[in-house]
Amino acid sequence: MTHSPIPSVLVVEDDVDLRQTIGESLEAQGFAAALAVDAADALERLRAFAYDALVVDLNLPDANGMEVLAEAVARYPQIRPVVITGFGGVPDAVAAMKHGAIEFLIKPFQLAQLATILKVAVDQLRLKEENAGLRAQLRERFSFDSIIGRDSTMQHLFSTLELVAPMNSTVLIQG
């Protein structure tokens, strides 16, 4: 995924006017929007760039939007995909969610709603990544490697501490 301050989104929609409208709306909301006309165009763009989010129409002229969704999630598990359609029902929504979609919107939908969904999803993803990075820094900073002790007794103590450290209990070590 991109780590720039501007989240990127790929919009895959065969209707020219709707594709352009969605792209302009998302750009006005602070996204960098790339537009794809069909599944082949979308898959080519996904091979070249890791987008933060994906908006894909379920009915494309050259393929089913589920194929694009599946390929995007397989290639970039952290991508935040939204499926849009004019002809969808509960089975399609369930299938989209099983393939990794975070939302399923029926046309016509509100553009502000789409932008809000994507903003929340991208923010959550970035918070998770930041949290993981901070946890790694803490583990590195407070590891037992910074404690001096090469003696076998100390090494045994460090092994014991590593085992009990993740536990939520009080441990008394005497020596």
Side-chain angles (χ1 to χ4, degrees), residues 32-101:
L35 308 176
V37 298
D38 57 21
D41 186 17
L43 294 174
E44 184 177 318
R45 288 174 184 272
L46 285 166
R47 287 183 194 104
F49 188 78
Y51 295 93
D52 294 307
L54 170 71
V55 176
V56 60
D57 187 6
L58 197 55
N59 299 313
L60 297 169
D62 60 339
N64 186 316
M66 291 291 188
E67 294 172 25
V68 175
L69 172 64
E71 175 72 21
V73 171
R75 187 175 289 273
Y76 308 108
Q78 298 298 321
I79 196 167
R80 313 315 292 162
V82 173
V83 174
I84 59 175
T85 186
F87 310 100
V90 173
D92 291 324
V94 170
M97 298 298 182
K98 284 183 178 179
H99 282 89

Side-chain angles (χ1 to χ4, degrees), residues 2 4 6-10 31-34 49-54 122 126:
T2 63
S4 68
I6 300 173
S8 60
V9 60
L10 176 61
F31 288 90
F49 188 78
Y51 295 93
D52 294 307
L54 170 71
V122 169
R126 291 198 174 156

Side-chain angles (χ1 to χ4, degrees), residues 114-172:
L114 175 62
T116 301
I117 290 166
L118 292 174
K119 278 183 184 179
V120 169
V122 169
D123 286 347
Q124 286 175 344
L125 176 62
R126 291 198 174 156
L127 285 173
K128 285 173 83 175
E129 289 173 349
E130 184 179 353
N131 191 354
L134 291 171
R135 285 180 186 271
Q137 287 177 6
L138 282 173
R139 274 193 300 279
E140 185 178 307
R141 182 171 180 186
F142 295 108
S143 69
F144 297 117
D145 296 337
S146 61
I147 301 174
I148 299 171
R150 293 192 181 107
D151 183 59
S152 64
T153 306
M154 288 302 292
Q155 293 299 315
H156 180 67
L157 174 65
F158 295 155
S159 298
T160 303
L161 289 173
E162 285 178 349
L163 286 174
V164 298
M167 297 179 189
N168 189 17
S169 61
T170 304
V171 177
L172 174 64

